[in-house]
Amino acid sequence: MPIDLAKKTPPRGEIFVIAERCKECALCIEFCPTDVLEVSEVFNARGYKPPRVAAGKASACVACNFCEEICPELAIFVKEVKG
């Protein structure tokens, strides 16, 4: 019996960036499957532009954690949002 996809919803995540750890490698932006992230216009204390959630994309995060797993500086993490 197939799953009723109309009743299923993808998980939702909230992205948190620790701006001062970021070195602007942009791996999180490049590998986000839903294109939630973009480079911000604000510099951190080291002179890098950390990622930010793109306008209108906050609800597009599916909590896949790719950004968290690929970040060499541990500057980004995702918390799954229930409900």
Side-chain angles (χ1 to χ4, degrees):
M1 181 185 252
I3 296 175
D4 187 356
L5 293 178
K7 292 182 180 179
K8 289 290 184 184
T9 57
R12 189 172 166 293
E14 185 175 359
I15 299 170
F16 297 90
V17 177
I18 304 168
E20 296 309 315
R21 287 188 183 176
C22 181
K23 288 188 176 177
E24 200 180 341
C25 69
L27 291 172
C28 56
I29 296 168
E30 184 177 341
F31 287 98
C32 179
T34 55
D35 295 320
V36 173
L37 299 168
E38 66 182 9
V39 177
S40 70
E41 297 300 318
V42 179
F43 291 94
N44 65 16
R46 296 177 177 184
Y48 300 109
K49 294 179 183 178
R52 69 177 176 201
V53 176
K57 292 282 199 156
S59 62
C61 178
V62 294
C64 68
N65 297 326
F66 285 168
C67 58
E68 189 175 321
E69 294 293 328
I70 203 163
C71 180
E73 301 302 318
L74 306 174
I76 191 166
F77 64 97
V78 178
K79 287 191 175 182
E80 191 170 338
V81 177
K82 301 290 183 190

